Amino acid sequence: MTDLAASLVGELAAENGSAPTSLGTAAARQLATTTKTAPQMQEISSRWLLRILPWVDTRGAVYRVNRRLVYELGDGRVTFVTTGAGVRVVPQELRELPFLRSFADEDVLQALADRFEHQEHPPGDVIVERGQPPDRIVLLAHGKVEKVGTGRYGEETVLAVLSDGDHFGYHPGMDGVGDRSYGITTLTPTTVLTLSRGAFEEIVAQSDALRAHLDGFLAAPTPPQNRHGESAIARASGHVGEPPLPRTFVDYDVAPRQYELSLSQTVLRVHTRVGDLYSEPMDQFEEQLRLSIEALREEQEDQLVNNRDFGLLFNADLKQRISTRSGPPTPDDMDDLLTRRRKTRCYLAHSKAVAAFHRQCNQRGLYPGTVEVMGKTVPSWRGVPILSCNKIPISEAGTTSILAFRTGEQDEGVIGLYQTGIPEEHEPGLSVRAMGVDDKAVANYLVSTYYSAAVLVPDALGVLENVEVGR
């Protein structure tokens, strides 16, 4: 009750002839001690990614990831531009096709890009007929298609699900028969760009540079490599006697990737009068600093997920990116993601994606288990915890991604990077540096946190893409 309301009650009581006989609660509260909370903040989340990553102290602010030499270059995905309803391939992106990699003639690439034809296909349409030799190069601009082949006993089996940026079909070096073992069927409305074999060979005939490049591509011996594209290490086994043993060496990547620490900063401003006079029972500076650090940690996790340079969503290898089979995340999709690496430590997904997965389990009569992580009970699938992360974006179309990864240097996984021992360190990798008091009697403090993330080998991190959360 407010003071005004208490006054009105007193006046009404007086009018009724019943004056108060004791001190009212409104007046009594003026002498009472108020119980108050520390400042609350709605932005604070569970920040599971920051908690699950092993953090490696990075001296010199640079972390170099040395790997065996890998012969495959580029990400293998073609990029397109859209003008109105039309879609065109970026000419330089044609170098993502294996037989055009390192081809430098921009004019010829432009001529090839201009000859691609735009086609639209409804769901269920057959783009490549099984048993027919590929007669065109197909670039998947938008949509999702299914690569269907024949199993060992003649049954139909799904070999892969392809999505935006993938390509398939004819390539130089195919004989007259080509690969008849699979067909391509659309799962969603799909936009493709196609270049017929005849049109491609016509441009080859007109360009001496392209013809020489393809001759070199076809004639070059394939260097010995393992199934991951790494330079092979020769070895022998099962022999008897004293045969000559193979001689070998481990070749290294001469240009390994280096991760530099990124940062998030803010300048915290606290008026000296506020700090001097109003710091009981709670220290004003400490409360301001606490909430500022919480905001920086939220920004740090967001960058670790979404930064285009080192963020996990953008650093997953192409072969570790798969699409959902039907849209929503099903147990089959989660299994596909799980089987692409050893010792998967966790799934990381938006809470809406977790709910969508549980709906799919409910439809199948399945009940996902739970596990304990850092004293918290969380949902799991196949014994692998599913941790929520609200930094994973959801598109306007209602699609998101689910990450799966293993962690740690010993397991060649994903690690967090920071540097400790920095000047005026407040927490590991975070410093609070006094910048002095300005002429308005406002004290300034520079709050900085330094961080990055590294994927040690490509199969440490995988992404399930095009996850629909609305159905």
Side-chain angles (χ1 to χ4, degrees):
M1 183 183 296
T2 64
D3 293 342
L4 178 59
S7 175
L8 291 175
V9 170
E11 291 177 3
L12 290 173
E15 291 177 0
N16 295 332
S18 57
T21 60
S22 66
L23 181 67
T25 57
R29 276 201 299 267
Q30 306 305 315
L31 302 182
T33 299
T34 301
T35 302
K36 58 181 72 67
T37 69
Q40 306 297 298
M41 184 173 178
Q42 188 172 332
E43 186 182 7
I44 298 174
S45 65
S46 57
R47 297 201 293 266
W48 273 113
L49 180 58
L50 299 189
R51 299 162 64 185
I52 204 72
L53 284 181
W55 290 89
V56 175
D57 198 357
T58 307
R59 312 316 299 175
V62 175
Y63 187 88
R64 178 181 298 162
V65 179
N66 289 308
R67 293 178 178 172
R68 283 172 61 182
L69 178 64
V70 178
Y71 292 111
E72 299 177 358
L73 302 174
D75 64 6
R77 276 197 173 167
V78 182
T79 303
F80 305 86
V81 292
T82 303
T83 305
V87 179
R88 294 180 294 109
V89 61
V90 177
Q92 293 78 7
E93 286 291 309
L94 291 175
R95 296 194 185 104
E96 295 295 344
L97 302 177
F99 54 86
L100 291 178
R101 189 155 291 153
S102 77
F103 182 64
D105 194 321
E106 301 282 346
D107 293 334
V108 177
L109 292 175
Q110 182 66 58
L112 286 170
D114 291 341
R115 296 293 293 272
F116 276 88
E117 299 180 359
H118 180 188
Q119 296 180 355
E120 301 281 348
H121 294 272
D125 203 10
V126 177
I127 299 179
V128 174
E129 193 79 43
R130 195 189 317 177
Q132 297 298 318
D135 59 353
R136 53 191 170 151
I137 302 169
V138 183
L139 309 179
L140 183 53
H142 181 69
K144 190 160 35 176
V145 302
E146 201 171 48
K147 186 176 181 180
V148 181
T150 303
R152 179 178 178 180
Y153 300 103
E155 77 282 7
E156 187 175 276
T157 183
V158 177
L159 303 176
V161 176
L162 308 179
S163 58
D164 302 6
D166 286 320
H167 47 83
F168 51 88
Y170 167 78
H171 62 79
M174 280 185 168
D175 55 24
V177 177
D179 188 355
R180 298 170 176 261
S181 63
Y182 68 87
I184 301 290
T185 304
T186 60
L187 296 173
T188 65
T190 303
T191 301
V192 298
L193 298 181
T194 64
L195 176 67
S196 68
R197 178 174 180 173
F200 178 77
E201 292 177 343
E202 181 181 329
I203 294 178
V204 172
Q206 297 172 357
S207 171
D208 293 337
L210 181 55
R211 188 163 57 253
H213 172 82
L214 293 178
D215 289 342
F217 169 78
L218 296 175
T222 302
Q225 54 188 268
N226 61 21
R227 62 190 179 91
H228 302 291
E230 298 173 324
S231 61
I233 299 176
R235 60 263 198 190
S237 61
H239 51 276
V240 295
E242 299 179 354
L245 296 180
R247 299 181 179 183
T248 190
F249 68 98
V250 181
D251 204 356
Y252 298 143
D253 186 354
V254 296
R257 178 166 182 182
Q258 298 188 143
Y259 293 86
E260 295 185 8
L261 293 185
S262 183
L263 80 164
S264 294
Q265 292 180 308
T266 189
V267 175
L268 175 61
R269 295 164 57 84
V270 180
H271 200 288
T272 54
R273 181 173 59 184
V274 171
D276 293 343
L277 302 180
Y278 302 99
S279 289
E280 288 293 339
M282 299 179 189
D283 189 295
Q284 291 284 355
F285 169 70
E286 290 298 331
E287 294 302 326
Q288 290 277 306
L289 179 61
R290 179 178 64 84
L291 296 185
S292 298
I293 291 175
E294 293 283 2
L296 285 178
R297 293 303 190 195
E298 293 291 330
E299 176 66 17
Q300 177 180 346
E301 186 177 59
D302 182 82
Q303 289 293 305
L304 290 174
V305 172
N306 297 299
N307 187 281
R308 300 191 70 86
D309 181 37
F310 58 85
L312 299 186
L313 280 179
F314 294 92
N315 276 268
D317 187 79
L318 176 66
K319 293 182 179 179
Q320 297 298 324
R321 295 177 179 272
I322 60 175
S323 284
T324 56
R325 301 188 180 199
S326 58
T330 64
D332 296 333
D333 296 324
M334 300 292 272
D335 284 342
D336 287 344
L337 187 59
L338 183 65
T339 56
R340 289 178 173 263
R341 74 201 43 79
R342 56 184 169 85
K343 299 178 71 173
T344 301
R345 175 73 185 278
C346 69
Y347 294 102
L348 196 68
H350 195 284
S351 56
K352 290 186 177 181
V354 178
F357 172 64
H358 282 200
R359 287 196 295 271
Q360 294 300 310
C361 291
N362 291 342
Q363 291 181 9
R364 300 186 181 199
L366 301 175
Y367 184 77
T370 59
V371 295
E372 186 174 304
V373 179
M374 299 181 181
K376 304 291 185 181
T377 300
V378 298
S380 69
W381 179 249
R382 306 293 189 194
V384 178
I386 305 175
L387 305 179
S388 63
C389 177
N390 63 353
K391 311 305 187 304
I392 299 177
I394 297 178
S395 70
E396 293 182 358
T399 60
T400 184
S401 299
I402 296 177
L403 305 175
F405 51 90
R406 67 172 178 270
T407 59
E409 286 185 305
Q410 295 298 321
D411 289 326
E412 298 179 320
V414 180
I415 59 173
L417 306 176
Y418 69 167
Q419 186 176 127
T420 61
I422 56 179
E424 301 184 51
E425 190 172 57
H426 183 79
E427 295 177 2
L430 183 144
S431 69
V432 180
R433 183 169 298 180
M435 301 172 62
V437 180
D438 61 21
D439 57 1
K440 297 181 180 179
V442 176
N444 294 270
Y445 302 88
L446 176 64
V447 187
S448 308
T449 180
Y450 302 93
Y451 56 87
S452 188
V455 182
L456 300 189
V457 295
D459 74 347
L461 170 66
V463 180
L464 179 64
E465 301 180 314
N466 304 314
V467 175
E468 295 182 9
V469 298
R471 67 182 178 92

